[in-house]
C-alpha cells in the first residue's frame, strides 16, 4: 500500500527524518487499514499512498523534530480523528503513554481496532474535550497535549491546556495562514505561555508548530461548555 520501503525512506530523509523497516511495516498496516475502513466510515480525504505517507505520517512525525518529549511522558491527542498526529508518533516512540480522544465514537472504534492490529497500547476516550477535561482523573494530568487540524488557536487552547500539568506542554500543529496572536489572550487566561512558533516546509507546503508551556493552573471555570465556547472566543 505505502510506496516501497526504499522510496518511503527517501521521503522521510527529505523531511530530515529516518525510518526503520519495523516502523515502515507498522505504517504500512496503518495505511492499508485506514483506506479499507475509510470505505465505510469517513476518516480522511487523503487516500493516495504517497499522500498518506507525506500528509499524514511524515507530517505527524515532524512534531518529534520540534518538541522534545522525555521518555515515558504522557500525551493526550485531542480530536485525534484517524489517529493523527499521535498514532504515528507512538510507532516511533513506543515509550510514550498515549491517550486518544475524539468526540466521534466511530473514529474511536476505528482507533481501537487499529491499535489492536499495531499492538499499540493506548487509552481511548469518546467525548468532547471540554467535558472530559473537567473530570478530575484527566484534569492537569498529562505531560503533553497535542492537536492537529481541530480548531483555531483560541478554541484549541481551551480544549487542550486544561489537560496538561503545570510545566507541561501543548503542541498545536497548524497551517501557515492562521494568525496565532489571535489566540494569545486565550493561552494566557488558561495558564499558558507561548514558548515557540516554528515554521517549516512539508515538501512544498508550509506548516507551523506552536508550543505552549503551562505556567499556572487553569482557572476552574475553564473550559466553558461547547455552546459558550462557540458563542465567544476568549
Ligand atoms: N487530528 C486529526 C487529523 O489531523 O487528521 C483529525 C482532524 S479532524 C478535522 C477534527 C477531529 O476533531 C474530528 O475527528 C472531530 O470529531 C474531533 N473534534 C472536534 N471537536 C472536538 C472536541 N471538542 N472534543 C473532541 N474531539 C473533537
Amino acid at each position: 500500500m505505502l510506496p516501497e520501503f526504499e522510496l518511503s525512506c527517501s521521503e522521510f530523509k527529505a523531511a530530515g527524518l529516518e525510518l526503520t523497516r519495523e516502523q515502515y511495516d507498522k505504517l504500512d498496516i496503518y495505511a492499508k487499514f485506514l483506506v479499507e475502513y475509510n470505505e465505510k466510515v469517513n476518516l480522511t480525504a487523503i487516500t493516495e499512498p504517497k499522500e498518506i505517507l507525506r500528509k499524514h505520517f511524515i507530517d505527524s512525525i515532524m512534531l518529534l523534530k520540534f518538541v522534545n518529549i522525555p521518555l515515558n511522558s504522557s500525551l493526550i491527542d485531542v480530536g485525534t480523528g484517524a489517529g493523527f498526529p499521535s498514532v504515528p508518533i507512538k510507532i516511533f516512540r513506543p515509550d510514550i503513554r498515549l491517550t486518544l480522544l475524539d468526540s466521534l465514537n466511530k473514529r474511536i472504534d476505528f482507533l481501537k481496532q487499529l491499535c489492536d492490529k499495531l499492538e499499540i497500547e493506548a487509552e481511548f476516550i469518546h467525548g468532547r474535550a471540554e467535558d472530559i477535561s473537567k473530570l478530575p482523573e484527566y484534569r492537569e494530568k498529562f505531560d503533553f497535549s497535542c492537536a492537529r487540524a481541530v480548531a483555531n488557536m483560541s478554541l484549541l487552547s481551551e480544549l487542550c491546556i486544561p489537560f496538561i500539568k503545570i510545566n507541561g506542554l501543548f503542541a498545536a500543529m497548524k497551517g501557515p495562514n492562521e494568525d496565532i496572536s489571535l489566540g494569545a489572550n486565550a493561552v494566557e487566561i488558561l495558564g499558558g505561555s507561548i514558548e515557540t512558533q516554528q515554521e517549516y516546509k512539508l515538501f512544498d507546503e508550509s506548516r507551523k508548530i506552536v508550543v505552549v508551556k503551562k505556567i499556572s493552573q487553569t482557572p476552574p471555570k475553564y473550559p466553558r461548555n461547547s455552546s459558550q465556547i462557540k458563542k465567544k472566543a476568549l
Side-chain angles (χ1 to χ4, degrees):
M1 164 78 209
L2 281 184
E4 63 176 32
F5 179 57
E6 284 71 20
L7 189 56
S8 294
C9 283
S10 53
E11 292 282 308
F12 266 73
K13 204 168 174 193
L17 299 166
E18 283 183 13
L19 176 70
T20 67
R21 181 82 220 190
E22 199 188 339
Q23 290 160 347
Y24 171 82
D25 289 343
K26 291 208 165 183
L27 291 178
D28 194 40
I29 293 171
Y30 193 165
K32 282 182 188 138
F33 190 54
L34 178 70
V35 169
E36 179 196 317
Y37 210 91
N38 200 45
E39 282 171 18
K40 49 181 181 160
V41 171
N42 177 28
L43 296 168
T44 179
I46 296 169
T47 53
E48 287 302 309
K50 199 167 172 181
E51 296 275 286
I52 293 178
L53 187 75
R54 288 183 169 189
K55 296 191 173 169
H56 280 326
F57 295 159
I58 294 178
D59 190 33
S60 294
I61 299 299
M62 288 302 274
L63 188 138
L64 291 174
K65 250 179 99 168
F66 294 105
V67 185
N68 174 35
I69 304 184
L71 207 64
N72 300 322
S73 297
S74 54
L75 166 72
I76 182 165
D77 187 357
V78 176
T80 183
F84 305 115
S86 67
V87 175
I89 287 174
K90 175 82 176 165
I91 290 172
F92 278 62
R93 286 285 310 276
D95 61 286
I96 289 174
R97 292 177 286 126
L98 178 61
T99 298
L100 298 162
L101 167 66
D102 204 278
S103 54
L104 276 186
N105 205 26
K106 59 184 184 172
R107 298 199 168 132
I108 294 293
D109 281 343
F110 163 76
L111 291 167
K112 285 180 180 165
Q113 292 176 53
L114 172 71
C115 289
D116 207 34
K117 278 182 187 292
L118 295 174
E119 299 178 343
I120 277 179
E121 238 184 76
E123 180 178 9
F124 305 90
I125 307 176
H126 168 225
R128 298 196 66 83
E130 56 273 39
D131 301 328
I132 302 299
S133 70
K134 293 262 187 217
L135 304 174
E137 62 268 41
Y138 296 114
R139 193 171 183 88
E140 306 198 316
K141 289 289 187 288
F142 293 88
D143 301 310
F144 290 84
S145 60
C146 67
R148 187 186 82 154
V150 176
N152 65 43
M153 193 62 196
S154 170
L155 170 48
L156 200 57
S157 297
E158 200 161 351
L159 300 182
C160 293
I161 294 176
F163 284 111
I164 50 174
K165 302 170 184 171
I166 292 177
N167 291 324
L169 298 178
F170 152 50
M173 304 187 78
K174 298 275 172 197
N177 298 326
E178 188 179 335
D179 180 356
I180 300 302
S181 68
L182 296 177
N185 190 45
V187 168
E188 196 185 322
I189 290 172
L190 294 155
S193 158
I194 296 177
E195 285 271 288
T196 54
Q197 283 189 56
Q198 306 186 73
E199 292 190 22
Y200 62 94
K201 283 264 178 216
L202 182 77
F203 300 93
D204 49 358
E205 292 176 11
S206 298
R207 293 276 193 279
K208 199 180 321 186
I209 290 187
V210 184
V211 177
V212 171
K213 184 170 185 173
K214 186 146 176 177
I215 52 174
S216 61
Q217 213 178 17
T218 301
K221 65 176 176 176
Y222 299 111
R224 298 163 296 159
N225 66 40
S226 61
S227 62
Q228 288 171 312
I229 291 178
K230 276 186 204 133
K231 223 182 278 167
K232 195 173 182 301
L234 284 177

